[in-house]
Amino acid sequence: MLITIENVLSRDEVRQFRTYLEAAAWEDGASSGGSLARTVKRNEQVDDSAEVAIKLGNHILRTLANHPLFVSAALPRKIYPPRFNRYATDGGYGLHVDSAIMHVPNSAVSVRTDLAATLFLSEPDEYDGGELEIEGQFGGQAIKLAAGDMVLYPASSLHRVAPVTRGARVASFFWVESLVADAAARATLFDLDQAIQQLTPLLAADDARLLKLTSVYHNLVRRWATT
Ligand code: NI
């Protein structure tokens, strides 16, 4: 399941993020990533422990905590602190798969990567190439979103960032450990929750059918969630 969430950040927030990130210290992204990843990764990243990364990352986390679509789709238990990367011209990241477990630097916390997220911070017309290409059950998809929009996709999928041939692509990316590890179960819960959300304004709050569906939703979460 691949979900696009629009306007996670407003235009003003994106502008502020970009101002902060332009002044940040960028380092070679090949210093992180597995030994396989290192051979195919050409980008720059802000150090996780940099004040600017923590500040902007926390802003994203606070926003997502109150975002109904994100919560419904991800059922998050833990979120890896958002990181920031930049693919300048000739940058790219070849086909790879993300590690199953990510250790949060300078902590004892690890995150099982059920979902991966990319929050775009550059507008599509600022660069050529740079699509996030995700392989899925029904073929590949190339994702290039407006600044402030985010894609959420299974971290188990093979993916790459197509070479940037003009300009620069700035983004935030992170992983989510879900309360529901099984992707098919999580997708079913998402569909059910979205249907309930769509029916809610059409029916009385005490409509017996709506209450039944809501109870089925919570009973399935109870059955499938691990805490
Ligand atoms: Ni990746």
Side-chain angles (χ1 to χ4, degrees), residues 8 34 55 66 72-74 76 112 118 150 155 167 185 196 224:
V8 170
K55 180 188 166 80
N66 299 313
S72 176
R112 185 190 60 227
T118 296
M150 185 175 95
I196 292 170
W224 289 335

Side-chain angles (χ1 to χ4, degrees), residues 93 96 98 153 159:
Y93 196 164
H96 69 279
D98 297 340
Y153 62 100
H159 54 275

Side-chain angles (χ1 to χ4, degrees), residues 147-165:
D149 293 359
M150 185 175 95
V151 62
L152 201 55
Y153 62 100
S156 55
S157 53
L158 280 168
H159 54 275
R160 74 168 196 143
V161 175
V164 172
T165 56

Side-chain angles (χ1 to χ4, degrees), residues 7 11 51 87 115 151 159 223:
N7 302 314
R11 284 179 177 279
E51 203 178 326
Y87 293 83
L115 295 144
V151 62
H159 54 275
R223 182 172 280 255

